[in-house]
Every structure is written in C-alpha cells, then in structure tokens.
Amino acid sequence: MNDPLVARMRGFGTTIFAEMSALAVRTGSINLGQGFPDTDGPAAMLERAASAVREGHNQYPPGPGVPELRQAVSEHRKEHYGLAYDPDGEILVTVGATEAVAASVLALCEPGDEVIAFEPYYDSYAAAIALAGAVLRPVTLRPDGGRFTFDPAELRAAVSPRTRAILVNSPHNPTGTVLTRAELEEIADLCRERDLVAVTDEVYEHLTFDGVEHVPLATFPGMRERTVTISSAGKTFSVTGWKTGWVCAPPELVRAVQTVKQFLTFTAAAPWQLAVAHGLRHEMEWVAALRDGLQAKRDRLGAGLAAAGFDVYRPAGTYFVQADIRPLGLADGLALTRDLPSLAGVVAIPTQVFYARPERGAHFVRFAFCKKDEVIDEAVHRLTRLGKTEGDAE
C-alpha cells in the first residue's frame, strides 16, 4: 500500500518532543528537552482536582467549559490586563493551548489562505496550518542585542492578498524572547491596515523575568475585536498533563472556534477545569514564587552552559535557553542532540526543527531549565564533557 497519510501531513512524522523524550528514557539521560517541570503545582489546587473527582464531576461538562472556570478566566483577564470578556460567549475552554491553536486555524482559514508565523515556531503551528490546507509564511526572528527580534520590513513583505491571519507567540517558545510594546505595535498596525486576524499564544504570560512585562496584543487599540487570545494552565501552574487551556475573543470569533473545537474533543475534563478556576482565583502568589524560582534556574543553567563552552542567549521568559553551538566547533544542532545522550548523558532539542528553513537555526539548541536545581547541576556537569571531547577531537 502507498503511504495512506494525506499528502499535506507527510512532512511531519513523529514530533521532536516524542523522539527526544523517548531517547532520554532509552539512554537514561537527563531530559532538558521537552518543556515540562519535574515538580507539582500548588497543593490546594491539586486537592481541588481530587475533590472534584470525589464529588462526582466525572461526566461531560458544558461544551464551552464549566461556568466556574469561564468566570475565573474573565476575572483574571480584567484584573491583570484590563480586558473585559463575557464568560458567556467570549471565553471557550479547550484541551490545552495546542487544541486552541488548531481549532482557531481550522475555523478561520480556508484552503489557500496564508498564515504568518514567526520562526522558530512551536511545531504544532505548521501542522495546524497544513491541516487547514492553508499556507505558512514564516518571518524569521534573529538575534539582535542579546535577544531575538524581527525586521518590521520583513513582516510587512510577508503579507499578501491571501494573508488571513498572523500567529503571535509571546513570551516566545523556543527563543525565550518577550515582544516589546514597540514590536507589538508593529504587528497591531499591520493587522489593522490589512484586516488580519491575530491568534496569540500566551501560555507563558506569567513566566517572564527581570521585571519584563508581558503585554497582550488584544490590549492595543482596535485589536481586541480581531484577536483570538490563547492561554493555558499547564505552564502557569506546572500541570502540563492537565491539558486545560482557553480562548478569549469576541463572540463571533469564539463561535467560529467552538464550531470546530466541538468536533475535535467536544469538551475538556471537568475536574481539571474546577481546579484551574481555584488556581486563577487563589494561587497567583504561588505563580509569582514559581516565576522567581524559574529566573534563578535560568541563571543557573545559563551560567553552566556558558562555562561548558556554549554561547548562551538570556531568555526574558518561558522555560527555555537558546544555546549557539558554534563556539564548540559544531554547526549541526540536530546531529549534536542525537549524539548528546552518548556524549554527555543529556537530551536537548535542536532548534532547527522549528524553522520552515532549518538552515537558519541549524546552530542553535534549546535547553529547558524548568527542572530541580540538582538536575540542572548534574546536567551541566555532564555537558562539560562535551567541550573536552570536542577539544580532544580537534
């Protein structure tokens, strides 16, 4: 039989996260690849999930999400960003942010429509665009002054008469950059001028460092009515396995996304929704402490990688550090990460897989710092072997 997979999905295969996590298990390596923490979320929130199960919240909840969570999300957006969303019609609970992105693209894009995304991008973006039969138009983020940013002229040049939407991820995975107000204004200007819909992935919204501010694109003039904002409990509360996310948007956009979402998963698990509602209302101090702890872990891993010979970019947010491997005399991040378990007993992610044009990111490797300090220290200790090995080889 010929390959039964539809042609538009044949270039995707197994995700790099599944491949590298399996490699970590198979080799007994430290997994600094996939972005999940090795500690749990706030105890009271976990107990709320357990009590929800015991209380019998184990059947289908309402399709848009349980009212308690939609109300908590509405309160959260108003308190933190001054954005008012009606919990009945402007908020939709999803099975994580990945489903929210996919449902949004499928709902809003016709075959042949173009979607702009900043590369390197989270790998599900390209897959969702392909599923919709749409066309990805990448705009490259490049290092400038110690952080990754885009050229406004390149962004404008990427727009064509077929452009329907722009996918914006800030804080940005995998570079760790947090878009500035000036950068967001460039995006907002373009959306208003060309009548584009913005789909914003803001799952790391509370995990920014050094006092850097996260600014939702929907707060800019004329953007609330054309923005689908996506958030998630997974990163905010260290419960990535709960897969509980949400969409905030005007009613017509929420209706469109829900029309697709209902035929993907119909609804999301009720116990987690009730627990996340508790988290948004009562655990934001815990989140602030998490952010401070992650900032220290970022510095811990960054210093260790620099000592091991990498050129390190200091992220302003997320779980991830970008490391340039060229100072080690290397140029192919994919080859390095596949060899890294045997060379050093550590797993990382090659950044080039997040590019439409992999050669632009071939020399970058992504390391996750959302791990216990002792795990980071052991990984750094092991990575020092890499520099020695490369030096011996020379």
Side-chain angles (χ1 to χ4, degrees):
M1 180 185 292
N2 294 328
D3 188 347
L5 184 64
V6 294
R8 63 184 177 275
M9 294 302 293
R10 286 179 191 162
F12 291 92
T14 302
T15 72
I16 193 67
F17 304 110
E19 177 186 345
M20 290 302 175
S21 289
L23 183 61
V25 171
R26 189 166 65 249
T27 61
S29 297
I30 294 174
N31 190 352
L32 299 188
Q34 193 168 1
F36 59 85
D38 53 8
T39 54
D40 272 332
M45 191 180 81
L46 304 183
E47 178 53 36
R48 181 67 190 101
S51 66
V53 171
R54 291 191 294 266
E55 291 164 7
H57 297 281
N58 301 309
Q59 308 308 323
Y60 296 128
V66 299
E68 291 92 332
L69 179 53
R70 286 184 280 120
Q71 182 62 43
V73 169
S74 178
E75 295 165 1
H76 175 273
R77 301 305 290 183
K78 182 67 173 177
E79 177 183 354
H80 289 272
Y81 308 118
L83 289 167
Y85 288 97
D86 183 352
D88 297 317
E90 293 191 312
I91 295 171
L92 171 67
V93 179
T94 60
V95 182
T98 300
E99 186 198 33
V101 169
S104 298
V105 172
L106 287 165
L108 301 174
C109 295
E110 298 283 3
D113 282 351
E114 295 177 356
V115 180
I116 295 171
F118 294 99
E119 66 172 2
Y121 43 71
Y122 184 59
D123 62 350
S124 81
Y125 297 175
I129 293 166
L131 282 168
V135 179
L136 170 64
R137 295 299 184 202
V139 173
T140 305
L141 298 174
R142 297 183 178 86
D144 182 21
R147 64 185 292 270
F148 286 75
T149 187
F150 62 90
D151 181 342
E154 286 188 15
L155 175 61
R156 289 186 168 274
V159 179
S160 81
R162 293 305 306 268
T163 305
R164 168 63 173 153
I166 180 168
L167 260 170
V168 181
N169 175 210
S170 180
H172 183 264
N173 172 17
T175 68
T177 202
V178 177
L179 296 179
T180 65
R181 285 185 177 272
E183 289 165 337
L184 291 166
E185 188 61 66
E186 291 280 356
I187 296 169
D189 283 345
L190 193 60
C191 289
R192 291 187 294 255
E193 291 170 15
R194 303 301 293 269
D195 193 25
L196 305 181
V197 176
V199 178
T200 65
D201 177 349
E202 304 180 21
V203 299
Y204 293 98
E205 61 189 301
H206 294 295
L207 304 183
T208 62
F209 313 127
D210 306 316
V212 171
E213 180 187 26
H214 166 67
V215 183
L217 188 62
T219 61
F220 285 77
M223 289 307 296
R224 185 194 182 282
E225 55 265 39
R226 63 176 66 249
T227 301
V228 177
T229 301
I230 296 168
S231 296
S232 172
K235 302 303 192 295
T236 298
F237 297 110
S238 296
V239 287
T240 59
W242 286 13
K243 297 299 293 178
T244 303
W246 50 89
V247 164
C248 296
E252 63 277 12
L253 289 176
V254 167
R255 282 194 298 270
V257 176
Q258 186 176 354
T259 298
V260 171
K261 182 263 189 299
Q262 67 185 338
F263 296 113
L264 296 176
T265 60
F266 178 57
T267 191
W272 316 142
Q273 293 190 51
L274 292 167
V276 172
H278 166 91
L280 290 172
R281 286 172 167 155
H282 304 293
E283 302 292 352
M284 296 311 294
E285 288 187 8
W286 184 95
V287 174
L290 170 68
R291 180 181 63 244
D292 293 343
L294 283 170
Q295 179 173 314
K297 292 175 186 295
R298 173 204 64 178
D299 294 343
R300 195 181 199 99
L301 178 59
L305 290 173
F310 294 90
D311 189 5
V312 178
Y313 288 87
R314 183 184 176 92
T318 77
Y319 284 169
F320 308 112
V321 168
Q322 282 297 316
D324 191 328
I325 64 175
R326 289 176 295 185
L328 294 169
L330 303 170
D332 187 344
L334 181 59
L336 172 61
T337 54
R338 286 178 170 159
D339 291 339
L340 204 53
S342 60
L343 292 173
V346 175
V347 162
I349 297 291
T351 307
Q352 67 197 75
V353 302
F354 303 128
Y355 287 78
R357 294 159 288 194
E359 67 277 4
R360 293 180 182 267
H363 51 283
F364 292 120
V365 171
R366 192 194 80 172
F367 292 91
F369 54 83
C370 51
K371 309 296 180 180
K372 296 175 183 175
D373 288 349
E374 57 267 29
V375 173
I376 294 173
D377 291 344
E378 177 59 24
V380 166
H381 174 70
R382 295 182 185 189
L383 286 167
T384 59
R385 305 175 196 166
L386 185 64
K388 294 176 182 176
T389 300
E390 294 304 318
D392 292 343
E394 292 173 358

